[in-house]
Amino acid sequence: MRLGFVGSFGTVHEVVDLAVDAEQHGWDGFFTWDGVDLEGMDAWDPWAVLAAAAVRTQRVTLGALVFALPRRRPWVFAKQAVTVDHLSGGRLVVPVGLGVPMDRAVAGVSGEATTLRERAERLDDALAVLDRSFGGERFDVEGTHLRVDGLQLRPVPVERPDGRTRIPLWVVGSFPSERSMGRAVRYDGVVPQHRGERAEDPFDPDDVAAVVAWVKEHRPADAGPFDVVLHGALPADRGAARERLAALAEAGATWFVDALWDPATATPEALRARVRQGPPT
């Protein structure tokens, strides 16, 4: 299992510096986040942060937890993704989800999708565009809320070690929702969350094993690599953190991203100290 770290708070320079620290201290990935006006949190543009991190690092996987795809134009998003992918030498992953409805960029702007159904429909439309755009050929998409006629995006993403020229798409999946999980298994990874009242609860090893079993049942064995990506705050005690990670890895998780979201405790100084300890392995 690979381990990542979220640069949740700090000036834009401090957040990019965290990416450099993450690489130097042995983490496998660095992630920013995507928001505009969210509960008073200072929010930087994720593509600018990732572009800067791409040119200052050499090894770590880069992404954002998670991109709010329904409020973005997917063809523009695809061009931004491919640009950062080339800047990083093919180290980008793209986690995507419905977005946070209380972000005023959604709730406070007319014309944005606010219902769960419409956001899910727009997510499906956007994923179809991204999936086709990475191939480099001219394509059409007939979606619920958009239509694409004869669009071609060049260049294609950097070729991966397995020969694929596509940026991995990790999709938030509400488990065990057939529709939500069915969307995720069509792509390259799932960021699982519980459905309903348990949505904010962390996944324990039994939960992960259930997700992995569902994926194996519903995804063709020859469909290519697939990641199960967890995130949350690891225990401060490194021994306890190691035990938790080992259990989740044994259950089938392929990534865990350490994410701290309390601005009272996740200060830039605290984040820097935590990332410089290195991953608890």
Side-chain angles (χ1 to χ4, degrees), residues 16 47-57 87:
V16 174
W47 286 124
V49 170
L50 292 174
V55 299
R56 291 193 57 197
T57 59
L87 284 172

Side-chain angles (χ1 to χ4, degrees), residues 15-16 19-20 30 48-58 60 62 91:
V15 172
V16 174
V20 177
F30 177 81
V49 170
L50 292 174
V55 299
R56 291 193 57 197
T57 59
Q58 301 293 324
V60 288
L62 299 171
R91 292 182 284 122

Side-chain angles (χ1 to χ4, degrees), residues 39-176:
E39 298 179 353
M41 297 171 65
D42 288 347
W44 305 110
D45 175 73
W47 286 124
V49 170
L50 292 174
V55 299
R56 291 193 57 197
T57 59
Q58 301 293 324
R59 177 187 57 79
V60 288
T61 295
L62 299 171
L65 284 178
V66 295
F67 286 107
L69 198 51
R71 63 172 170 79
R72 294 178 172 272
R73 293 180 179 269
W75 43 90
V76 177
F77 186 90
K79 183 60 67 176
Q80 293 167 320
V82 171
T83 301
V84 171
D85 191 53
H86 277 260
L87 284 172
S88 69
R91 292 182 284 122
L92 183 68
V93 295
V94 179
V96 298
L98 299 177
V100 182
M102 68 277 296
D103 191 327
R104 296 302 296 173
V106 175
V109 180
S110 64
E112 292 295 328
T114 56
T115 67
L116 181 62
R117 178 175 180 176
E118 185 178 353
R119 286 187 291 132
E121 292 170 345
R122 290 184 181 274
L123 178 59
D124 285 330
D125 289 352
L127 281 166
V129 172
L130 288 180
D131 189 48
R132 297 293 303 279
S133 70
F134 292 156
E137 303 296 331
R138 204 164 294 280
F139 67 92
D140 305 328
V141 168
E142 187 71 42
T144 304
H145 296 277
L146 61 81
R147 177 177 176 178
V148 174
D149 294 315
L151 185 65
Q152 182 181 35
L153 280 80
R154 301 284 299 180
V156 297
V158 175
E159 183 175 335
R160 266 51 185 180
D162 61 7
R164 295 184 304 163
T165 55
R166 60 177 286 112
I167 300 168
L169 298 170
W170 295 347
V171 184
V172 173
S174 180
F175 186 76

Side-chain angles (χ1 to χ4, degrees), residues 172-176 181 190-195 198-201 203:
V172 173
S174 180
F175 186 76
M181 288 294 297
V190 63
V191 184
Q193 66 179 31
H194 294 289
R195 183 170 58 179
R198 294 189 62 204
E200 300 299 321
D201 291 351
F203 273 68

